[in-house]
Amino acid sequence: MLGYAMSNIAPEETQVGSPLPRFERERASLGAMGAAQWTGQFRTRPHSLLDVRGLSSVEDWKLSLPRGCRRTLSGKVDKMDFYVTARPIRGGEPAPHSSLAHFRCVVEHEMRLIAAGGNDPDGFLEALSEGVGRYAGTTRMAGTIREYRIGSPKGKVIAFAHEVVKGRTIRGQWFYSTDEASKCYVWFHSVQDLVRRAIEMENIDIVDLGPSGSDAFSELKERYGFKAVDDWPAVADYMGPFVYEEGQESDTIGGIQSKIFESLM
């Protein structure tokens, strides 16, 4: 059985996801973004927010941080040897991260969090199940991924950050990394890059890193300027349309369907 499975597995970076239309991707994104709270259904967990309206550059943000955080960003992150590529998720095409290489990122990430890197037998199946569910979720959603490779632009995929822009808010939706990437300050780079682009983008007021899985992670985000806010929809404006990068398709019908679905949530 193992031999049969191995002989039929897709190549490492072949995209195998379903070619979902943009409307379905936007609809799949809303729950994870916390639409239940901004549509008045129920309260979700606090979101970690950074207001960028008073910042003129990413250097302004860095200067506002504690010395240890500035040292991490300037002394560690800026010297790392990895390459980042923006890969838009398009309607009608498989998600660019629907591959075995990206699945490895998700599963290794969950193994570290839940199963102590695979050394906890009781947590192994839980982590694997969580990883499969999270991989299926992120590859069904809208937005853009920032893909991290080590060594060269064609090197091994070690992490990806999935982000979505809606209304006047840019959301760091998901971040998954291999064990190798966890030692390379990739998450810190992804946050810095997200802040930089939010400052540079027109009509973006807030960077939202979403809810945290632990108090320790909330505290880490807060050290980098992201405050945990209970009534976060009062601060982060998600009421406008999904915003796409240049080159991503314009789908007027899909946009109308998404607005109707959101109004019915």
Side-chain angles (χ1 to χ4, degrees):
M1 182 179 294
L2 176 60
Y4 175 80
M6 294 301 294
S7 65
N8 285 274
I9 197 169
E12 186 79 4
E13 295 195 26
T14 297
Q15 297 166 10
V16 297
S18 300
L20 301 175
R22 190 182 113 179
F23 162 64
E24 288 192 24
R25 293 195 177 284
E26 292 182 350
R27 181 174 62 182
S29 302
L30 291 172
M33 295 175 76
Q37 184 157 336
W38 81 62
T39 56
Q41 293 183 80
F42 56 84
R43 185 175 290 273
T44 62
R45 291 180 293 168
H47 281 209
S48 295
L49 308 179
L50 173 70
D51 191 328
V52 299
R53 283 173 288 190
L55 302 174
S56 59
S57 71
V58 72
E59 293 303 320
D60 287 349
W61 168 68
K62 291 167 71 172
L63 288 172
S64 72
L65 303 177
R67 180 181 299 175
C69 297
R70 297 198 307 271
R71 187 181 298 119
T72 295
L73 295 173
S74 299
K76 301 289 186 179
V77 172
D78 292 342
K79 297 180 181 179
M80 289 293 105
D81 181 27
F82 44 67
Y83 293 79
V84 189
T85 303
R87 304 190 65 186
I89 303 170
R90 305 181 190 280
E93 298 179 10
H97 55 315
S98 61
S99 77
L100 180 59
H102 298 86
F103 179 67
R104 292 183 193 279
C105 295
V106 180
V107 171
E108 288 190 27
H109 192 95
E110 295 305 310
M111 285 293 176
R112 286 197 307 278
L113 294 178
I114 299 174
N119 296 317
D120 175 10
D122 293 333
F124 176 81
L125 290 179
E126 179 187 353
L128 181 60
S129 175
E130 186 74 14
V132 170
R134 287 178 174 272
Y135 170 78
T138 181
T139 55
R140 293 185 63 86
M141 295 181 187
T144 299
I145 68 160
R146 306 280 161 173
E147 182 182 78
Y148 286 78
R149 293 176 182 266
I150 195 73
S152 76
K154 294 187 178 180
K156 177 184 176 182
V157 176
I158 60 170
F160 68 89
H162 183 165
E163 61 194 46
V164 182
V165 183
K166 189 177 189 300
R168 301 184 67 88
T169 302
I170 184 167
R171 168 71 185 274
Q173 188 90 318
W174 307 110
F175 176 85
Y176 298 113
S177 64
T178 63
D179 294 341
E180 181 178 8
S182 69
K183 304 170 186 177
C184 297
Y185 297 91
V186 175
W187 180 80
F188 297 93
H189 181 278
S190 74
V191 172
Q192 177 178 266
D193 190 50
L194 191 64
V195 172
R196 176 185 61 77
R197 285 181 287 105
I199 294 170
E200 293 173 354
M201 292 174 68
E202 295 183 4
N203 304 318
I204 294 297
D205 299 334
I206 300 293
V207 181
D208 182 359
L209 292 186
S212 301
S214 66
D215 290 342
F217 199 27
S218 290
E219 292 169 3
L220 175 62
K221 292 177 182 178
E222 187 162 0
R223 288 202 294 274
Y224 284 84
F226 291 81
K227 306 296 184 183
V229 179
D230 290 326
D231 188 16
W232 54 267
V235 180
D237 180 2
Y238 278 106
M239 299 311 293
F242 284 84
V243 179
Y244 293 94
E245 296 188 357
E246 184 177 354
Q248 283 179 278
E249 81 291 351
S250 176
D251 181 354
T252 303
I253 294 177
I256 294 173
Q257 289 176 318
S258 182
K259 290 177 182 178
I260 294 173
F261 179 80
E262 187 177 347
S263 69
L264 294 175
M265 286 190 68

